[in-house]
Amino acid sequence: MRDPYDVLGVQRTADAAAIKSAFRKLAKKHHPDANKSDPKSAQRFAELNTAYEILGDDAKRKAFDRGEIDADGKQRFQGFRAQPGGGGHAEFETIFPGGFARGGRAGGLGGFEELLKGMFGGAAGRRSGFDSHVEADEMGAPGGRDVTVPLTISLGEAARGGARRVRLPSGKEVDLKIPAGLADGQQIRLKGQGLPGAGGVGDALIAITVAPHKLFTREGANLRLELPVTLYEAVLGAKVRVPTLDGAVELAIPAGTGSGRIFRLKGKGMPGKGAPGDLLAIVRIVLPDLDDEALNDLMRKWRDGKPYDPRKDMA
């Protein structure tokens, strides 16, 4: 595989935010769903996922920069390190995904052969001097690779849950269950739906993006809504219809309500760990679009007869 920096089109000095931004842009461009007539789109998308699996993980990125893993995320053999006064012997050190596993001494060609057997075999590895906790399954070929699949859902789907049919980089389509209460940036792991490797098959990580809603803004489990009211509704009071994710409800606006007042509708927000969140309706007084001379005359009389200063505490 190509250098992951080249795959994502970023400099080696790029920060995590730039790498994530580049991946999202390219993943959207090369997603198989957007390139159904291109048979190579799945391969390009898989390459992007592999590159991001390395550069999107700080530990893996540092390991790649140090030359400890290759562009596929596989461990590189680190060779032998001579010991002072050791004559023709060397202490070997092999890097595994879980960290360092240090072996004993190996002398001459026979020791080297035993080391190779230990890396790729079972009992031979234990005979060559590895610590007892380093077993053959730790030294075997790496498993499959995880892949990240972006998925955009609506705020309603995030609140209520649902089901989606998702196309994976392999071209396979699966039915995905969306749990209620998902937040932007969360992931759903599909076991065994990633890319195959010598040691098994990785997982597919469905990266969730919640699309912006035209009315509601999410704040944790709560939702915020700007509620437009007329001048006379704010002055005289009224009952107004307020939209929620579950349908409109009626809200009583008391007489003399000012712009910016917040009304809390209990339980009309997003699902939470315990009780659901609330809907916070923020009053915004809206004047008529047309220039109404009668309204202007009324306001002049009010200004001259009953002046008041709402900014007196700001001095």
Side-chain angles (χ1 to χ4, degrees):
M1 180 179 146
R2 293 187 295 145
D3 187 299
Y5 289 99
D6 294 337
V7 174
L8 296 182
V10 297
Q11 299 293 325
R12 301 186 81 86
T13 55
D15 59 18
I19 289 173
K20 184 176 183 179
S21 176
F23 168 71
R24 285 192 171 186
K25 181 179 179 181
L26 292 172
K28 185 176 181 180
K29 177 181 178 181
H30 295 295
H31 195 283
D33 282 347
N35 301 273
K36 295 182 179 180
S37 60
D38 184 357
K40 295 183 178 180
S41 63
Q43 180 180 350
R44 285 195 296 268
F45 190 72
E47 187 179 46
L48 286 171
N49 276 289
T50 301
Y52 186 65
E53 282 295 316
I54 295 175
L55 300 187
D57 183 293
D58 186 59
K60 290 182 181 179
R61 181 182 180 183
K62 289 179 179 177
F64 175 79
D65 290 341
R66 291 193 298 263
E68 295 170 1
I69 61 175
D70 62 17
D72 288 317
K74 297 178 181 179
Q75 300 291 327
R76 285 195 172 109
F77 177 64
Q78 299 297 305
F80 298 96
R81 185 171 62 190
Q83 296 297 303
H89 294 82
E91 182 179 351
F92 56 83
E93 185 174 67
T94 307
I95 299 178
F96 298 105
F100 290 92
R102 190 179 304 278
R105 289 174 174 258
L109 181 61
F112 178 69
E113 291 175 343
E114 285 298 309
L115 172 60
L116 293 181
K117 291 179 182 179
M119 292 176 64
F120 299 104
R126 290 187 287 275
R127 287 196 302 269
S128 64
F130 282 102
D131 291 341
S132 60
H133 69 278
V134 183
E135 298 294 338
D137 58 345
E138 292 181 80
M139 296 181 288
R145 297 195 302 273
D146 293 347
V147 294
T148 301
V149 181
L151 176 65
T152 300
I153 63 175
S154 68
L155 185 63
E157 287 177 303
R160 294 184 291 268
R164 279 287 196 95
R165 194 158 184 81
V166 178
R167 180 184 292 271
L168 302 178
S170 63
K172 179 182 178 181
E173 292 187 350
V174 297
D175 291 320
L176 175 69
K177 182 179 179 181
I178 300 173
L182 273 184
D184 191 77
Q186 286 188 303
Q187 293 183 335
I188 301 174
R189 181 181 292 271
L190 301 180
K191 300 290 288 184
Q193 297 294 340
L195 296 178
V201 181
D203 302 334
L205 306 176
I206 310 300
I208 298 296
T209 297
V210 181
H213 195 278
K214 64 177 182 179
L215 297 178
F216 305 111
T217 302
R218 185 173 183 176
E219 295 182 352
N222 293 333
L223 296 175
R224 292 177 70 89
L225 165 73
E226 282 199 355
L227 180 63
V229 301
T230 65
L231 178 61
Y232 51 83
E233 286 173 332
V235 172
L236 303 176
K239 289 184 177 181
V240 299
R241 300 282 287 175
V242 179
T244 75
L245 289 175
D246 299 324
V249 298
E250 197 170 69
L251 174 67
I253 302 292
T257 293
S259 190
R261 182 171 177 179
I262 300 176
F263 292 90
R264 183 181 295 271
L265 283 68
K266 297 288 291 184
K268 293 299 182 180
M270 301 290 291
K273 292 183 178 179
D278 304 328
L279 173 62
L280 307 178
I282 307 167
V283 171
R284 182 166 62 89
I285 298 175
V286 179
L287 298 178
D289 293 334
L290 299 177
D291 186 14
D292 191 320
E293 190 59 33
L295 178 61
N296 294 341
D297 288 341
L298 176 61
M299 291 299 101
R300 292 189 192 99
K301 293 178 181 178
W302 188 275
R303 178 193 62 192
D304 298 338
K306 298 181 179 180
Y308 68 101
D309 185 4
R311 296 175 295 279
K312 61 182 179 180
D313 295 332
M314 298 178 66

